[in-house]
Amino acid sequence: DTGVSQDPRHKITKRGQNVTFRCDPISEHNRLYWYRQTLGQGPEFLTYFQNEAQLEKSRLLSDRFSAERPKGSFSTLEIQRTEQGDSAMYLCASSLLTGGNYEQYFGPGTRLTVT
Amino acid sequence: AQSVAQPEDQVNVAEGNPLTVKCTYSVSGNPYLFWYVQYPNRGLQFLLKYITGDNLVKGSYGFEAEFNKSQTSFHLKKPSALVSDSALYFCAVRPNTNAGKSTFGDGTTLTVKP
């Protein structure tokens, strides 16, 4: 257990529905990242926050995806009008941007299946 | 654009033998390099990192990695493999700036046979 939690662990939804995932990072970590991972691939960067500010968003991320990190604590990732191609594992990670601590600590992921 | 290549999808070794999992990278400027491991039904776990200094870095579970700037490589090694080392290994790179984006390779499945 890395200390990063994600909820739910699994989500099955029908195409066209909206879904929201939550990530709770390690409490003192100021950076929070979202990745998407499909079978046979490494984690693909989606977006990241430093405290409550969203600093970068992947160009691959469509307008159907939005993420927030209110108050610089937990974060939510929402996917609107889900498509079958959104089926993947969604990973959250956090890190502490001081003292060379650039490694990321990952949560267990949320597996999304769009039917 | 930064990228990571892990040229081997699968590495098989016998228990007790040394292991190497290869990684090459491309990034603007100097890199920060990382290895992560993913056990079945578990999240990714940090193994080790190269930030600066000694090119040979040591990490968890007896693993080490050697940073080679001229070959843009960061191969993961262990002198004596254990069956419990069997897992999926990912190499990652990011530039040595405050930019937070890391790029991951597609992973190498390590299988250690008794």
Side-chain angles (χ1 to χ4, degrees), chain A residues 29-75:
Chain A
H29 283 186
N30 50 7
R31 285 212 169 164
L32 186 148
Y33 308 80
W34 285 99
Y35 294 88
R36 178 170 60 191
Q37 186 178 21
T38 54
L39 196 62
Q41 305 286 319
E44 176 189 27
F45 172 79
L46 294 178
T47 188
Y48 85 94
F49 295 83
Q50 182 163 318
N51 298 314
E52 66 274 9
Q54 187 173 18
L55 296 188
E56 187 173 347
K57 188 175 176 179
S58 170
R59 286 172 292 176
L60 300 175
L61 210 60
S62 79
D63 292 342
R64 297 184 297 107
F65 288 71
S66 63
E68 295 182 338
R69 193 184 182 196
K71 303 179 182 178
S73 56
F74 71 93
S75 176

Tab-separated table of all heavy atoms in Angstrom, chain A residues 29-75:
chain	number	residue	atom	x	y	z
A	29	HIS	N	1.895	15.434	-0.080
A	29	HIS	CA	2.352	15.561	-1.465
A	29	HIS	C	1.651	16.711	-2.170
A	29	HIS	O	0.425	16.834	-2.130
A	29	HIS	CB	2.115	14.263	-2.228
A	29	HIS	CG	3.106	13.205	-1.902
A	29	HIS	ND1	3.158	11.999	-2.554
A	29	HIS	CD2	4.116	13.175	-1.003
A	29	HIS	CE1	4.148	11.271	-2.075
A	29	HIS	NE2	4.743	11.958	-1.125
A	30	ASN	N	2.456	17.560	-2.825
A	30	ASN	CA	1.874	18.726	-3.483
A	30	ASN	C	1.574	18.491	-4.956
A	30	ASN	O	0.871	19.273	-5.583
A	30	ASN	CB	2.779	19.950	-3.317
A	30	ASN	CG	4.224	19.673	-3.694
A	30	ASN	OD1	4.573	18.614	-4.209
A	30	ASN	ND2	5.090	20.642	-3.427
A	31	ARG	N	2.080	17.406	-5.523
A	31	ARG	CA	1.794	17.121	-6.935
A	31	ARG	C	0.911	15.891	-7.040
A	31	ARG	O	1.094	14.902	-6.318
A	31	ARG	CB	3.082	16.931	-7.722
A	31	ARG	CG	3.761	18.259	-7.984
A	31	ARG	CD	4.489	18.273	-9.278
A	31	ARG	NE	4.909	19.628	-9.616
A	31	ARG	CZ	5.812	19.931	-10.512
A	31	ARG	NH1	6.411	18.959	-11.182
A	31	ARG	NH2	6.126	21.182	-10.762
A	32	LEU	N	-0.022	15.963	-7.978
A	32	LEU	CA	-0.945	14.852	-8.222
A	32	LEU	C	-1.083	14.671	-9.722
A	32	LEU	O	-1.260	15.646	-10.463
A	32	LEU	CB	-2.313	15.143	-7.583
A	32	LEU	CG	-3.346	14.017	-7.629
A	32	LEU	CD1	-4.231	14.071	-6.392
A	32	LEU	CD2	-4.182	14.063	-8.879
A	33	TYR	N	-1.007	13.418	-10.156
A	33	TYR	CA	-0.996	13.090	-11.582
A	33	TYR	C	-2.119	12.108	-11.892
A	33	TYR	O	-2.454	11.248	-11.073
A	33	TYR	CB	0.326	12.412	-11.970
A	33	TYR	CG	1.569	13.137	-11.557
A	33	TYR	CD1	2.054	13.066	-10.248
A	33	TYR	CD2	2.297	13.898	-12.472
A	33	TYR	CE1	3.206	13.717	-9.865
A	33	TYR	CE2	3.455	14.554	-12.093
A	33	TYR	CZ	3.898	14.457	-10.786
A	33	TYR	OH	5.053	15.110	-10.421
A	34	TRP	N	-2.641	12.226	-13.096
A	34	TRP	CA	-3.555	11.224	-13.626
A	34	TRP	C	-2.940	10.606	-14.888
A	34	TRP	O	-2.402	11.320	-15.737
A	34	TRP	CB	-4.903	11.836	-13.988
A	34	TRP	CG	-5.784	12.158	-12.822
A	34	TRP	CD1	-5.958	13.369	-12.222
A	34	TRP	CD2	-6.633	11.245	-12.110
A	34	TRP	NE1	-6.852	13.272	-11.185
A	34	TRP	CE2	-7.287	11.984	-11.096
A	34	TRP	CE3	-6.905	9.882	-12.229
A	34	TRP	CZ2	-8.201	11.405	-10.211
A	34	TRP	CZ3	-7.805	9.303	-11.351
A	34	TRP	CH2	-8.448	10.056	-10.361
A	35	TYR	N	-3.031	9.277	-14.964
A	35	TYR	CA	-2.564	8.533	-16.116
A	35	TYR	C	-3.666	7.566	-16.556
A	35	TYR	O	-4.542	7.191	-15.780
A	35	TYR	CB	-1.322	7.693	-15.781
A	35	TYR	CG	-0.083	8.471	-15.436
A	35	TYR	CD1	0.171	8.865	-14.130
A	35	TYR	CD2	0.858	8.791	-16.412
A	35	TYR	CE1	1.324	9.561	-13.801
A	35	TYR	CE2	2.014	9.484	-16.091
A	35	TYR	CZ	2.232	9.865	-14.788
A	35	TYR	OH	3.385	10.557	-14.470
A	36	ARG	N	-3.553	7.124	-17.793
A	36	ARG	CA	-4.418	6.073	-18.313
A	36	ARG	C	-3.521	4.939	-18.792
A	36	ARG	O	-2.481	5.181	-19.427
A	36	ARG	CB	-5.268	6.603	-19.467
A	36	ARG	CG	-6.167	5.584	-20.119
A	36	ARG	CD	-7.134	6.263	-21.071
A	36	ARG	NE	-6.453	6.987	-22.130
A	36	ARG	CZ	-7.070	7.834	-22.963
A	36	ARG	NH1	-8.363	8.055	-22.830
A	36	ARG	NH2	-6.397	8.450	-23.911
A	37	GLN	N	-3.911	3.705	-18.483
A	37	GLN	CA	-3.114	2.555	-18.890
A	37	GLN	C	-4.016	1.515	-19.537
A	37	GLN	O	-5.032	1.117	-18.959
A	37	GLN	CB	-2.388	1.942	-17.692
A	37	GLN	CG	-1.421	0.833	-18.057
A	37	GLN	CD	-0.681	0.275	-16.854
A	37	GLN	OE1	-1.103	0.409	-15.715
A	37	GLN	NE2	0.458	-0.357	-17.109
A	38	THR	N	-3.634	1.098	-20.723
A	38	THR	CA	-4.336	0.006	-21.394
A	38	THR	C	-3.414	-1.202	-21.464
A	38	THR	O	-2.193	-1.086	-21.273
A	38	THR	CB	-4.786	0.419	-22.798
A	38	THR	OG1	-3.646	0.915	-23.529
A	38	THR	CG2	-5.843	1.507	-22.745
A	39	LEU	N	-3.992	-2.355	-21.738
A	39	LEU	CA	-3.247	-3.610	-21.707
A	39	LEU	C	-2.056	-3.564	-22.658
A	39	LEU	O	-2.184	-3.190	-23.817
A	39	LEU	CB	-4.183	-4.763	-22.072
A	39	LEU	CG	-3.672	-6.164	-21.734
A	39	LEU	CD1	-3.481	-6.308	-20.228
A	39	LEU	CD2	-4.616	-7.220	-22.262
A	40	GLY	N	-0.908	-3.905	-22.136
A	40	GLY	CA	0.289	-3.955	-22.968
A	40	GLY	C	0.976	-2.618	-23.163
A	40	GLY	O	1.958	-2.520	-23.906
A	41	GLN	N	0.481	-1.604	-22.497
A	41	GLN	CA	1.061	-0.264	-22.624
A	41	GLN	C	1.489	0.256	-21.262
A	41	GLN	O	0.971	-0.163	-20.223
A	41	GLN	CB	0.035	0.705	-23.215
A	41	GLN	CG	-0.563	0.258	-24.542
A	41	GLN	CD	0.410	0.400	-25.677
A	41	GLN	OE1	1.138	1.381	-25.758
A	41	GLN	NE2	0.450	-0.581	-26.555
A	42	GLY	N	2.415	1.197	-21.296
A	42	GLY	CA	2.761	1.874	-20.065
A	42	GLY	C	1.756	2.957	-19.741
A	42	GLY	O	0.918	3.305	-20.573
A	43	PRO	N	1.830	3.504	-18.544
A	43	PRO	CA	0.935	4.611	-18.187
A	43	PRO	C	1.104	5.782	-19.148
A	43	PRO	O	2.222	6.179	-19.465
A	43	PRO	CB	1.394	4.990	-16.773
A	43	PRO	CG	2.032	3.759	-16.234
A	43	PRO	CD	2.679	3.103	-17.409
A	44	GLU	N	-0.033	6.334	-19.585
A	44	GLU	CA	-0.049	7.461	-20.512
A	44	GLU	C	-0.497	8.697	-19.741
A	44	GLU	O	-1.573	8.710	-19.138
A	44	GLU	CB	-0.999	7.173	-21.668
A	44	GLU	CG	-1.182	8.312	-22.650
A	44	GLU	CD	-2.299	8.031	-23.640
A	44	GLU	OE1	-3.234	7.277	-23.306
A	44	GLU	OE2	-2.245	8.592	-24.750
A	45	PHE	N	0.320	9.741	-19.779
A	45	PHE	CA	0.042	10.959	-19.031
A	45	PHE	C	-1.248	11.624	-19.492
A	45	PHE	O	-1.499	11.772	-20.690
A	45	PHE	CB	1.210	11.931	-19.215
A	45	PHE	CG	0.978	13.301	-18.665
A	45	PHE	CD1	1.111	13.552	-17.313
A	45	PHE	CD2	0.622	14.346	-19.507
A	45	PHE	CE1	0.909	14.828	-16.812
A	45	PHE	CE2	0.414	15.626	-19.014
A	45	PHE	CZ	0.565	15.862	-17.658
A	46	LEU	N	-2.076	12.028	-18.521
A	46	LEU	CA	-3.298	12.780	-18.829
A	46	LEU	C	-3.186	14.228	-18.367
A	46	LEU	O	-3.386	15.157	-19.134
A	46	LEU	CB	-4.506	12.126	-18.158
A	46	LEU	CG	-4.892	10.729	-18.650
A	46	LEU	CD1	-6.080	10.202	-17.859
A	46	LEU	CD2	-5.187	10.736	-20.127
A	47	THR	N	-2.879	14.407	-17.078
A	47	THR	CA	-2.818	15.746	-16.534
A	47	THR	C	-2.121	15.712	-15.181
A	47	THR	O	-1.972	14.644	-14.587
A	47	THR	CB	-4.226	16.351	-16.380
A	47	THR	OG1	-4.125	17.738	-16.011
A	47	THR	CG2	-5.036	15.622	-15.314
A	48	TYR	N	-1.663	16.900	-14.722
A	48	TYR	CA	-1.145	16.932	-13.362
A	48	TYR	C	-1.413	18.273	-12.694
A	48	TYR	O	-1.618	19.289	-13.353
A	48	TYR	CB	0.329	16.548	-13.305
A	48	TYR	CG	1.337	17.649	-13.548
A	48	TYR	CD1	1.895	18.366	-12.484
A	48	TYR	CD2	1.779	17.940	-14.831
A	48	TYR	CE1	2.850	19.345	-12.698
A	48	TYR	CE2	2.720	18.915	-15.058
A	48	TYR	CZ	3.262	19.616	-13.996
A	48	TYR	OH	4.207	20.593	-14.205
A	49	PHE	N	-1.428	18.248	-11.387
A	49	PHE	CA	-1.682	19.413	-10.551
A	49	PHE	C	-0.497	19.651	-9.624
A	49	PHE	O	0.122	18.719	-9.144
A	49	PHE	CB	-2.911	19.189	-9.655
A	49	PHE	CG	-4.196	19.056	-10.397
A	49	PHE	CD1	-4.574	17.841	-10.953
A	49	PHE	CD2	-5.045	20.145	-10.542
A	49	PHE	CE1	-5.770	17.714	-11.639
A	49	PHE	CE2	-6.237	20.031	-11.219
A	49	PHE	CZ	-6.607	18.807	-11.768
A	50	GLN	N	-0.229	20.927	-9.383
A	50	GLN	CA	0.626	21.301	-8.270
A	50	GLN	C	-0.251	22.079	-7.307
A	50	GLN	O	-0.757	23.145	-7.657
A	50	GLN	CB	1.821	22.145	-8.714
A	50	GLN	CG	2.739	22.490	-7.554
A	50	GLN	CD	4.093	22.963	-7.999
A	50	GLN	OE1	4.674	22.386	-8.928
A	50	GLN	NE2	4.594	24.020	-7.393
A	51	ASN	N	-0.441	21.503	-6.145
A	51	ASN	CA	-1.456	21.998	-5.216
A	51	ASN	C	-2.796	22.015	-5.953
A	51	ASN	O	-3.179	20.997	-6.501
A	51	ASN	CB	-1.037	23.350	-4.667
A	51	ASN	CG	0.268	23.244	-3.895
A	51	ASN	OD1	0.457	22.335	-3.079
A	51	ASN	ND2	1.210	24.138	-4.179
A	52	GLU	N	-3.491	23.149	-6.017
A	52	GLU	CA	-4.804	23.138	-6.679
A	52	GLU	C	-4.727	23.550	-8.140
A	52	GLU	O	-5.738	23.491	-8.858
A	52	GLU	CB	-5.782	24.041	-5.929
A	52	GLU	CG	-5.438	25.516	-5.959
A	52	GLU	CD	-4.461	25.903	-4.855
A	52	GLU	OE1	-3.928	24.989	-4.184
A	52	GLU	OE2	-4.230	27.110	-4.663
A	53	ALA	N	-3.551	23.939	-8.615
A	53	ALA	CA	-3.412	24.433	-9.985
A	53	ALA	C	-3.138	23.281	-10.960
A	53	ALA	O	-2.215	22.487	-10.754
A	53	ALA	CB	-2.281	25.445	-10.057
A	54	GLN	N	-3.922	23.238	-12.020
A	54	GLN	CA	-3.699	22.255	-13.070
A	54	GLN	C	-2.638	22.821	-14.009
A	54	GLN	O	-2.900	23.787	-14.733
A	54	GLN	CB	-4.994	21.955	-13.823
A	54	GLN	CG	-4.882	20.816	-14.820
A	54	GLN	CD	-6.231	20.431	-15.439
A	54	GLN	OE1	-7.184	21.204	-15.393
A	54	GLN	NE2	-6.329	19.236	-15.984
A	55	LEU	N	-1.454	22.217	-14.031
A	55	LEU	CA	-0.329	22.799	-14.745
A	55	LEU	C	-0.170	22.304	-16.171
A	55	LEU	O	0.402	22.997	-17.005
A	55	LEU	CB	0.974	22.561	-13.971
A	55	LEU	CG	1.074	23.228	-12.598
A	55	LEU	CD1	2.487	23.076	-12.037
A	55	LEU	CD2	0.693	24.701	-12.675
A	56	GLU	N	-0.610	21.107	-16.441
A	56	GLU	CA	-0.465	20.588	-17.799
A	56	GLU	C	-1.551	19.563	-18.070
A	56	GLU	O	-1.951	18.813	-17.181
A	56	GLU	CB	0.912	19.948	-18.007
A	56	GLU	CG	1.185	19.550	-19.450
A	56	GLU	CD	2.611	19.062	-19.675
A	56	GLU	OE1	3.468	19.249	-18.789
A	56	GLU	OE2	2.866	18.496	-20.760
A	57	LYS	N	-2.003	19.573	-19.301
A	57	LYS	CA	-3.034	18.634	-19.740
A	57	LYS	C	-2.587	18.059	-21.064
A	57	LYS	O	-2.174	18.805	-21.954
A	57	LYS	CB	-4.357	19.373	-19.869
A	57	LYS	CG	-5.565	18.521	-20.140
A	57	LYS	CD	-6.837	19.386	-20.117
A	57	LYS	CE	-8.062	18.580	-20.475
A	57	LYS	NZ	-9.294	19.397	-20.443
A	58	SER	N	-2.658	16.763	-21.204
A	58	SER	CA	-2.223	16.121	-22.440
A	58	SER	C	-3.063	16.592	-23.623
A	58	SER	O	-4.289	16.737	-23.520
A	58	SER	CB	-2.324	14.605	-22.296
A	58	SER	OG	-2.139	13.974	-23.542
A	59	ARG	N	-2.391	16.768	-24.744
A	59	ARG	CA	-3.120	17.140	-25.958
A	59	ARG	C	-4.012	16.005	-26.429
A	59	ARG	O	-4.925	16.201	-27.214
A	59	ARG	CB	-2.119	17.511	-27.055
A	59	ARG	CG	-1.468	18.868	-26.835
A	59	ARG	CD	-0.353	19.104	-27.819
A	59	ARG	NE	0.772	18.220	-27.588
A	59	ARG	CZ	1.850	18.167	-28.354
A	59	ARG	NH1	1.944	18.923	-29.420
A	59	ARG	NH2	2.841	17.340	-28.075
A	60	LEU	N	-3.716	14.803	-25.931
A	60	LEU	CA	-4.532	13.657	-26.311
A	60	LEU	C	-5.855	13.632	-25.555
A	60	LEU	O	-6.758	12.874	-25.911
A	60	LEU	CB	-3.763	12.359	-26.029
A	60	LEU	CG	-2.436	12.203	-26.755
A	60	LEU	CD1	-1.735	10.933	-26.284
A	60	LEU	CD2	-2.647	12.167	-28.263
A	61	LEU	N	-5.963	14.462	-24.543
A	61	LEU	CA	-7.148	14.457	-23.690
A	61	LEU	C	-8.242	15.289	-24.326
A	61	LEU	O	-8.090	16.490	-24.529
A	61	LEU	CB	-6.775	15.028	-22.326
A	61	LEU	CG	-7.546	14.527	-21.117
A	61	LEU	CD1	-7.385	13.045	-20.970
A	61	LEU	CD2	-7.051	15.231	-19.873
A	62	SER	N	-9.361	14.635	-24.644
A	62	SER	CA	-10.443	15.363	-25.296
A	62	SER	C	-11.174	16.244	-24.288
A	62	SER	O	-10.964	16.149	-23.077
A	62	SER	CB	-11.421	14.373	-25.933
A	62	SER	OG	-12.281	13.830	-24.948
A	63	ASP	N	-12.047	17.094	-24.828
A	63	ASP	CA	-12.822	17.995	-23.978
A	63	ASP	C	-13.811	17.249	-23.101
A	63	ASP	O	-14.403	17.835	-22.201
A	63	ASP	CB	-13.565	19.019	-24.844
A	63	ASP	CG	-12.609	19.991	-25.514
A	63	ASP	OD1	-11.450	20.086	-25.035
A	63	ASP	OD2	-13.004	20.626	-26.500
A	64	ARG	N	-13.990	15.959	-23.336
A	64	ARG	CA	-14.904	15.182	-22.491
A	64	ARG	C	-14.293	14.874	-21.126
A	64	ARG	O	-14.992	14.449	-20.217
A	64	ARG	CB	-15.280	13.865	-23.188
A	64	ARG	CG	-16.042	14.048	-24.502
A	64	ARG	CD	-16.465	12.705	-25.076
A	64	ARG	NE	-15.309	11.868	-25.420
A	64	ARG	CZ	-14.925	10.802	-24.733
A	64	ARG	NH1	-15.584	10.430	-23.649
A	64	ARG	NH2	-13.875	10.103	-25.123
A	65	PHE	N	-12.986	15.062	-21.029
A	65	PHE	CA	-12.272	14.769	-19.791
A	65	PHE	C	-12.024	16.068	-19.029
A	65	PHE	O	-11.568	17.059	-19.606
A	65	PHE	CB	-10.917	14.115	-20.076
A	65	PHE	CG	-10.989	12.699	-20.560
A	65	PHE	CD1	-11.450	12.406	-21.832
A	65	PHE	CD2	-10.584	11.659	-19.740
A	65	PHE	CE1	-11.508	11.091	-22.285
A	65	PHE	CE2	-10.631	10.351	-20.180
A	65	PHE	CZ	-11.093	10.061	-21.452
A	66	SER	N	-12.293	16.036	-17.736
A	66	SER	CA	-11.955	17.189	-16.897
A	66	SER	C	-11.497	16.699	-15.539
A	66	SER	O	-11.952	15.662	-15.053
A	66	SER	CB	-13.151	18.120	-16.751
A	66	SER	OG	-14.217	17.464	-16.103
A	67	ALA	N	-10.568	17.421	-14.966
A	67	ALA	CA	-10.036	17.051	-13.663
A	67	ALA	C	-9.991	18.278	-12.775
A	67	ALA	O	-9.807	19.397	-13.256
A	67	ALA	CB	-8.645	16.437	-13.801
A	68	GLU	N	-10.161	18.042	-11.486
A	68	GLU	CA	-10.101	19.123	-10.501
A	68	GLU	C	-9.331	18.651	-9.292
A	68	GLU	O	-9.283	17.447	-8.986
A	68	GLU	CB	-11.520	19.529	-10.060
A	68	GLU	CG	-12.378	20.142	-11.128
A	68	GLU	CD	-13.732	20.557	-10.577
A	68	GLU	OE1	-14.146	20.006	-9.540
A	68	GLU	OE2	-14.378	21.429	-11.196
A	69	ARG	N	-8.786	19.596	-8.583
A	69	ARG	CA	-8.153	19.305	-7.301
A	69	ARG	C	-8.435	20.479	-6.365
A	69	ARG	O	-7.563	21.300	-6.075
A	69	ARG	CB	-6.646	19.094	-7.443
A	69	ARG	CG	-6.037	18.484	-6.180
A	69	ARG	CD	-4.532	18.366	-6.266
A	69	ARG	NE	-3.996	17.745	-5.071
A	69	ARG	CZ	-2.714	17.788	-4.721
A	69	ARG	NH1	-1.823	18.424	-5.485
A	69	ARG	NH2	-2.313	17.184	-3.622
A	70	PRO	N	-9.660	20.551	-5.889
A	70	PRO	CA	-10.031	21.670	-5.020
A	70	PRO	C	-9.243	21.636	-3.719
A	70	PRO	O	-9.036	20.560	-3.144
A	70	PRO	CB	-11.531	21.439	-4.769
A	70	PRO	CG	-11.734	19.979	-5.017
A	70	PRO	CD	-10.749	19.584	-6.062
A	71	LYS	N	-8.762	22.789	-3.295
A	71	LYS	CA	-8.034	22.920	-2.034
A	71	LYS	C	-6.734	22.119	-2.014
A	71	LYS	O	-6.158	21.902	-0.936
A	71	LYS	CB	-8.905	22.511	-0.843
A	71	LYS	CG	-10.198	23.306	-0.731
A	71	LYS	CD	-11.033	22.851	0.448
A	71	LYS	CE	-12.341	23.622	0.507
A	71	LYS	NZ	-13.207	23.162	1.628
A	72	GLY	N	-6.296	21.658	-3.160
A	72	GLY	CA	-5.021	20.975	-3.220
A	72	GLY	C	-4.950	19.666	-2.481
A	72	GLY	O	-3.858	19.202	-2.123
A	73	SER	N	-6.104	19.035	-2.252
A	73	SER	CA	-6.076	17.754	-1.537
A	73	SER	C	-6.460	16.639	-2.500
A	73	SER	O	-5.678	16.295	-3.384
A	73	SER	CB	-6.992	17.805	-0.330
A	73	SER	OG	-8.313	18.172	-0.730
A	74	PHE	N	-7.665	16.095	-2.379
A	74	PHE	CA	-8.077	15.030	-3.276
A	74	PHE	C	-8.331	15.597	-4.670
A	74	PHE	O	-8.441	16.822	-4.863
A	74	PHE	CB	-9.331	14.339	-2.730
A	74	PHE	CG	-10.575	15.188	-2.826
A	74	PHE	CD1	-11.418	15.094	-3.934
A	74	PHE	CD2	-10.892	16.078	-1.823
A	74	PHE	CE1	-12.556	15.886	-4.019
A	74	PHE	CE2	-12.020	16.886	-1.908
A	74	PHE	CZ	-12.857	16.787	-3.010
A	75	SER	N	-8.436	14.691	-5.628
A	75	SER	CA	-8.708	15.097	-7.009
A	75	SER	C	-9.813	14.231	-7.588
A	75	SER	O	-10.011	13.081	-7.157
A	75	SER	CB	-7.455	14.944	-7.862
A	75	SER	OG	-7.707	15.248	-9.223
